[in-house]
Amino acid sequence: MEPDTVGDTEASDNSDATTAAAGADWLTPGRNRLGILVAGVAALICAALAVTVIVSHSSGGEALSQHRSTTTIPAGYTVSGHGTAQIAYPGADGRLRTVTTNLPWHKQADLNPAARSTGITVVLGTDGGTATCTLVLHGKPVQQATAQGPYARANCRTAATSAAR
C-alpha cells in the first residue's frame, strides 16, 4: 500500500510543479501580458464608475438634506389683551426668550425645521387683565388660549410641522 501512497504523492507533487510553472507564464516576457493589462484596465474602469455613482447619489442626498435644513418654518406669536404679562417663546436659535411687556405684543420668527415643537406661554402680572395667545405657522392659526385675572397663565403649544403649507 505504501508504494501507491508514494506514487500519489509524487503525482500530486508533479501537478503542483506543473501548476506553478503554468502560473508563472505571465511573468515570462511577451506571454499573456496583453490579457492581464486589459483585465486590469477593465477593473479600474468598473471601480471608477462605481465610485462615481456612489458619490453622485451621496451628494444628491446631502444636497436634498441641506435644502430641507435651510428651509425654515415661518411662525408668528401674538398676545392680545390688556395688562402686563411675562411672555416666554423660542428664539430663532431655539433658545427660550422671556420678555415682560404691556399688551398687546407680537413676534415673528423663522423656526428651524429640526424643531419638533413650538409654543408660547403668557403669565399675567399682579394687576391681572386678559391675555389671549395665538400661535401661527405658515400663516395659519394653529393654537389659541386665553388667561384672565392676576397671575393667570395661557399656553399655546403645537408640533412645529402641524400646519400644512
Side-chain angles (χ1 to χ4, degrees):
M1 290 271 173
E2 288 183 36
D4 289 337
T5 306
V6 172
D8 289 342
T9 304
E10 288 176 9
S12 176
D13 287 341
N14 288 340
S15 66
D16 287 345
T18 305
T19 304
D25 281 347
W26 70 274
L27 295 173
T28 307
R31 296 207 62 184
N32 292 329
R33 284 193 171 183
L34 181 61
I36 292 171
L37 180 64
V38 169
V41 168
L44 285 174
I45 290 172
C46 287
L49 286 173
V51 168
T52 302
V53 168
I54 291 169
V55 168
S56 68
H57 282 292
S58 294
S59 41
E62 289 172 9
L64 181 60
S65 65
Q66 286 175 354
H67 173 71
R68 286 182 186 157
S69 67
T70 58
T71 304
T72 58
I73 300 169
Y77 307 100
T78 302
V79 182
S80 59
H82 65 278
T84 301
Q86 183 179 48
I87 303 168
Y89 65 97
D93 60 359
R95 294 183 180 188
L96 187 65
R97 304 281 190 255
T98 303
V99 297
T100 300
T101 187
N102 291 319
L103 300 179
W105 175 88
H106 180 77
K107 181 74 174 175
Q108 290 288 121
D110 290 322
L111 300 177
N112 183 329
R116 294 180 183 250
S117 66
T118 189
I120 183 171
T121 299
V122 179
V123 180
L124 291 167
T126 57
D127 294 335
T130 302
T132 299
C133 64
T134 304
L135 180 58
V136 176
L137 295 178
H138 298 291
K140 297 177 184 176
V142 294
Q143 188 68 234
Q144 191 171 48
T146 300
Q148 187 172 10
Y151 303 108
R153 177 184 303 259
N155 291 303
C156 292
R157 300 258 181 264
T158 189
T161 58
S162 68
R165 290 184 183 187

